[in-house]
Amino acid sequence: MASIGIIDYGMGNLHSLSKAISRVSAEDRVEVTYDPDKLVRAEHLVLPGVGGAKHCMQELQRLELDAFVREAAGRVPILGVCLGMQIMLEHSDENGGADTLGLFEGTVEAFPEPGPQDEGADRIKVPHMGWNQVRHTREHPLLEGVSEDAWFYFVHSYRARPVHDADVLGVTHHGLDFASVLIKPNIFAVQFHPEKSQGAGMTLLANFVHWDGQA
């Protein structure tokens, strides 16, 4: 029987995420655990996350899961959700900065404040919280059945800035355009919460649990 491992390092909306994945993978076994001996047997992995990048990395390192995630991303499909997406880049500026997993080249930065030359410009509301649209940059099996400009639920104060445009599968506008979906072989990362995003989110999760990791 196939299995989906949700990586539990004490920072994530584990209950609602595991419940949502169980709904779209009735024939699969979903397990929430921090035990690498159990996670290594999973055929799909999910890296959730809420909170700050520095604390997140400290907990992953304490549990010796940082190296496990890097290794696992080379052999099985893995989904990063919210903070789980942000720590897949190389560095986050949040709370004084932290080096992160480096699965994508790029950084995580704060939404910019209007400069002196932008007098009268609206300030970007931070955190970016609530429903917003994701514009697809191209077709992909993970987006099958998800309409162009579908709405998803966001809660975050920092944005991903990947180096390579080819790594970006979805873009969202909040004062400016930012990367809200990242993709590589075996790696799928979303800034929003699919488990809170109703029909579009459930479709995306269903696509993930049946994804073979290829384009």
Side-chain angles (χ1 to χ4, degrees):
M1 182 166 54
S3 63
I4 301 162
I6 300 180
I7 301 169
D8 179 9
Y9 58 101
M11 297 179 66
N13 195 7
L14 301 175
H15 176 72
S16 60
L17 187 56
S18 61
K19 185 176 179 180
I21 293 174
S22 294
R23 285 178 57 192
V24 299
S25 57
E27 297 180 358
D28 298 325
R29 179 172 56 86
V30 179
E31 184 166 16
V32 179
T33 181
Y34 60 84
D35 185 349
D37 291 336
K38 294 179 179 179
L39 291 169
V40 76
R41 295 194 292 269
E43 295 184 3
H44 287 72
L45 291 167
V46 180
L47 181 64
V50 295
K54 180 178 289 187
H55 186 203
C56 171
M57 288 303 301
Q58 289 171 344
E59 289 303 295
L60 286 174
Q61 291 161 0
R62 182 180 68 82
L63 295 167
E64 300 182 352
L65 288 171
D66 54 326
F68 170 81
V69 172
R70 293 187 183 99
E71 180 275 329
R75 59 179 176 80
V76 297
I78 181 169
L79 168 64
V81 176
C82 196
L83 181 62
M85 167 188 170
Q86 293 185 359
I87 63 169
M88 286 184 168
L89 286 97
E90 295 174 296
H91 183 86
S92 173
D93 288 349
E94 189 176 8
N95 295 329
D99 290 333
T100 45
L101 294 171
L103 299 177
F104 293 96
E105 290 186 59
T107 58
V108 174
E109 302 175 3
F111 284 101
E113 295 286 347
Q117 71 277 10
D118 302 321
E119 185 176 351
D122 291 337
R123 299 174 71 87
I124 298 174
K125 292 183 179 179
V126 178
H128 173 216
M129 180 182 298
W131 294 89
N132 206 340
Q133 293 174 289
V134 174
R135 184 178 75 250
H136 308 168
T137 61
R138 59 188 182 275
E139 293 183 356
H140 193 280
L142 286 163
L143 299 176
E144 185 175 352
V146 179
S147 64
E148 177 67 30
D149 291 327
W151 293 81
F152 293 89
Y153 190 81
F154 291 80
V155 183
H156 64 116
S157 299
Y158 284 72
R159 61 186 176 121
R161 299 199 67 187
V163 169
H164 304 294
D165 289 343
D167 292 342
V168 180
L169 185 60
V171 175
T172 295
H173 187 82
H174 182 62
L176 44 71
D177 286 346
F178 68 91
S180 53
V181 184
L182 300 179
I183 190 74
K184 272 188 173 183
N186 275 349
I187 308 173
F188 181 45
V190 298
Q191 180 60 75
F192 49 83
H193 286 272
E195 77 280 7
K196 297 181 179 180
S197 299
Q198 301 180 2
M202 298 303 288
T203 298
L204 189 146
L205 289 175
N207 290 343
F208 170 71
V209 300
H210 295 102
W211 184 44
D212 65 0
Q214 302 306 307

